[in-house]
Amino acid sequence: MPASPSTARAINDRLALRLLQQEGPLTAGQLKQLTGLSRPTVADLVDRLTAAGLITVVGESGAQRRGPNARLYGIVADRAHLAALDVRTQGVLVLVSDLLGRVLAEASVPIGGDTGTGPAVEQAVAAVEQALKEAGADRLHTVGIGAPGLIDPATGDLRDSAGLPAWHRSLATALQDRLPGARVTVENETNLAALAEQREGAARDRDTFVLLWLGHGVGAAVVLDGTLRRGASGGTGEIGFLPVPGTDTLPAATDCAGGFHSLTGAAAITALATRHDLPAPPSPDGPGAAEVVRAAVAEVTGAPGAARAVTGDAPAARFLRALADRVAVGVASVVAVLDPGCVVLGGEVGQAGGAVLAGLVEERLRRMSPLVTEVRTSSLGGTAVLRGALLTARDRAQDELFAPTERTS
């Protein structure tokens, strides 16, 4: 059935707004060319979007002939302000942007492990409020939060997970209370990192891939045919619980010890480094494991992240090959089930290993699986979760704002 006039207007409006977002300011003539709509239809939608406060004249094109079509129209960037949070075990990173995603302010706050839930939440909320003030904005339209743990698909809430600070689960509610009118969305950090890599990073040319997160813990995000897959309970990618050879026991429903986490979690990586006579970091957490891997890569290649074959019997070379073997065990299992064609190594450890670790994993995988799989390293590194949170917030805000109130014919 043909679309009703009001539905057709809404479709045309959103198409024009998406083009203005992707291409930047455009003239009415350029909108006509890119959309294929008639001149009167474009003129009508320009008037409608201008009246709705979504677009405005931002300049003129370089055309010699001046007139209505020479005006450049752009999205009103300060129509809404957004916030993105990367919630970590030991603190929070915050940024505030305009509707186009231009970063206006950033903040970070460390939160000690012995900080109570109330004070921890207060510190995190205060960081958001401070960033909002520095951005010169009065209010937030949408907030995107990236956090470790499972997200309940029915409620959108972060589930109670063993080993994660209690303040993580309280933060979204506190922000909703302190930021009147703001829409708050919580998403698993690995899923957000995958979204960012898909839109802006290492997987821009792939509509199917898996992001393997190697940090304090281990996780995965699955993108199939351009869509992030979360699973029936939101647990797609909980690869830390994957039973694998090389561990002393099997994982339990409440503890991933004995699963893939026991081979590639931060504590396991630092223990592996010690067994290969490499210096142990001060703390066996994500940054500590990343530092061990980064130092090993620099030792075998002469430069951090350099792509070069890892040969020889030096401790650093043996350690990297052993680590790649462990990572490949989990990757091979994912590949056997999903055949994604591409795996991106993210997280602190994936970033530290760079092209060297990715190359070693890909080489080992070729010997384990008949399915051709390219292994890449994250191109966004430590910013992936924050960028994914911002993209999610921007998409949600634009979905609402880019559907102007319908006018009667």
Side-chain angles (χ1 to χ4, degrees), residues 262-275:
S262 294
L263 291 184
T264 54
I269 292 174
T270 54
L272 180 66
T274 301
R275 286 202 295 274

Side-chain angles (χ1 to χ4, degrees), residues 159-176:
R159 291 184 180 179
D160 188 9
S161 301
L164 294 177
W167 62 268
H168 282 197
R169 298 187 67 240
S170 304
L171 180 56
T173 300
L175 286 170
Q176 195 76 73

Side-chain angles (χ1 to χ4, degrees), residues 136-280:
D138 296 327
R139 59 181 295 272
L140 288 171
H141 183 282
T142 308
V143 179
I145 303 174
L150 286 170
I151 307 298
D152 189 325
T155 65
D157 296 331
L158 187 65
R159 291 184 180 179
D160 188 9
S161 301
L164 294 177
W167 62 268
H168 282 197
R169 298 187 67 240
S170 304
L171 180 56
T173 300
L175 286 170
Q176 195 76 73
D177 292 340
R178 292 273 287 273
L179 302 170
R183 296 144 184 81
V184 180
T185 301
V186 185
E187 179 60 272
N188 173 267
E189 61 179 356
T190 307
N191 286 346
L192 290 180
L195 174 63
E197 295 289 353
Q198 178 189 27
R199 301 264 287 271
E200 303 179 344
R204 281 176 293 180
D205 61 336
R206 295 278 184 169
D207 61 1
T208 294
F209 70 99
V210 169
L211 174 75
L212 179 63
W213 183 273
L214 299 170
H216 180 72
V218 58
V222 177
V223 176
L224 300 178
D225 298 325
T227 302
L228 179 70
R229 305 295 180 177
R230 295 178 175 83
S233 63
T236 295
E238 286 297 311
I239 196 173
F241 287 88
L242 181 71
V244 292
T247 62
D248 297 329
T249 183
L250 291 174
T254 57
D255 187 357
C256 57
F260 186 51
H261 174 86
S262 294
L263 291 184
T264 54
I269 292 174
T270 54
L272 180 66
T274 301
R275 286 202 295 274
H276 284 84
D277 300 320
L278 297 180

Side-chain angles (χ1 to χ4, degrees), residues 4 24-25 38 107 129 151 170 257 272 278 282 293 299 311 340 344 387 399:
S4 67
S38 68
E129 292 175 334
I151 307 298
S170 304
L272 180 66
L278 297 180
V293 172
E299 183 174 334
T311 59
V344 177
R387 290 301 305 172
D399 281 344

Side-chain angles (χ1 to χ4, degrees), residues 303-323:
R308 187 183 301 174
V310 179
T311 59
D313 199 42
R318 289 188 290 108
F319 162 70
L320 289 172
R321 290 196 296 268
L323 175 59

Side-chain angles (χ1 to χ4, degrees), residues 84-86 88 90-95 105-111 123-124 126-128 130-131 134 386:
L85 281 72
D86 180 358
R88 305 188 178 189
Q90 299 176 334
V92 177
L93 302 176
V94 181
L95 65 78
E106 298 181 75
S108 64
V109 56
I111 298 176
Q123 291 179 44
V128 175
Q130 180 61 32
E134 291 180 4
L386 206 54

